[in-house]
Amino acid sequence: MAATPDTVHWRGVHHLALVTTDMDATVRFWHGVLDARLVATLALPAFRHYFFDIGEGSCIAFFEYTDQPIDSFAKPAGVPYAKAAQFDHLSLHLPDEDALLRLRDRLKEHGCEVTDVIDHGFLRSIYFSDPNGIALEASWWTIDPTGRPADHSDERLFADPDPVPAVRELRDEGRLRHTVATRLVDGVIEDLAREGITLER
């Protein structure tokens, strides 16, 4: 579908909500090691919810559930794993190579394992994990494709030699021929119904 004047004005990620079984260790790593300041906390009988600042308007947030066994796992970034069907890893944005190297050194100073810098062409990254086993990456754009019109024919950024049909439509026609519809999972519908809210389906 073509863009319309009534466009969505994205301002980045407000917060990404993850799960921890040890909020104390999570605070010590995210606030203490990564210097992502703890900026807000919520607590209900069922859970804690803590927010860490990763840039203006953007947070990483963690839930710690009360008396709820959690089947945790750890995996490296970019490696398929059956338990990680909807989440692979989180990459945090840095401004330049110097900031990337300083973070790598900071992680090492705190005894954290971290890769050397990996050059992906249009971005450069390091990889590490948090105490919950969540695969993390820190990256900076060597060619920043954000905040400007996309050139879907720029092979530096669009390097898939056999892209999916949607990318071919964007490249060849400048628009998508169709979009897809989604549905709320049943649990959300049931939660809303308990609050007296019904949705047309």
Side-chain angles (χ1 to χ4, degrees), residues 143-154:
I143 305 169
D144 189 349
T146 64
R148 61 183 171 96
D151 178 0
H152 298 103
S153 65
D154 185 343

Side-chain angles (χ1 to χ4, degrees), residues 3 11 18 30 35 66 98 106 145 160:
R11 297 191 66 188
L18 303 171
W30 283 86
D35 197 28
T66 304
D98 184 59
R106 181 184 176 99
D160 183 353

Side-chain angles (χ1 to χ4, degrees), residues 109-121:
E109 288 167 8
H110 285 273
C112 301
E113 291 184 341
V114 59
T115 69
D116 205 353
V117 176
I118 309 296
D119 187 350
H120 296 292

Side-chain angles (χ1 to χ4, degrees), residues 22-42:
D22 187 343
M23 190 67 84
D24 185 69
T26 297
V27 171
R28 294 177 192 285
F29 180 78
W30 283 86
H31 182 96
V33 176
L34 295 186
D35 197 28
R37 296 177 310 114
L38 179 66
V39 293
T41 65
L42 294 172

Side-chain angles (χ1 to χ4, degrees), residues 50-124:
Y50 285 19
F51 294 76
F52 300 87
D53 181 352
I54 58 166
E56 186 175 350
S58 299
C59 286
I60 299 298
F62 280 87
F63 281 101
E64 181 185 56
Y65 298 113
T66 304
D67 300 324
Q68 175 65 50
I70 300 294
D71 185 15
S72 64
F73 63 90
K75 65 172 288 302
V79 176
Y81 184 56
K83 288 186 177 182
Q86 292 179 312
F87 180 82
D88 188 86
H89 70 281
L90 167 66
S91 183
L92 303 167
H93 185 219
L94 290 172
D96 54 35
E97 185 86 2
D98 184 59
L100 194 66
L101 294 173
R102 286 197 322 269
L103 177 60
R104 182 199 60 190
D105 294 345
R106 181 184 176 99
L107 285 160
K108 287 181 178 181
E109 288 167 8
H110 285 273
C112 301
E113 291 184 341
V114 59
T115 69
D116 205 353
V117 176
I118 309 296
D119 187 350
H120 296 292
F122 55 83
L123 60 90
R124 291 169 62 85

Side-chain angles (χ1 to χ4, degrees), residues 169-190:
E169 291 167 20
L170 288 169
R171 182 190 61 209
D172 299 340
E173 302 169 30
R175 66 180 190 89
L176 295 173
R177 293 180 194 158
H178 63 87
T179 59
V180 295
T182 62
R183 299 184 70 86
L184 292 171
V185 296
D186 288 338
V188 173
I189 302 292
E190 293 161 8

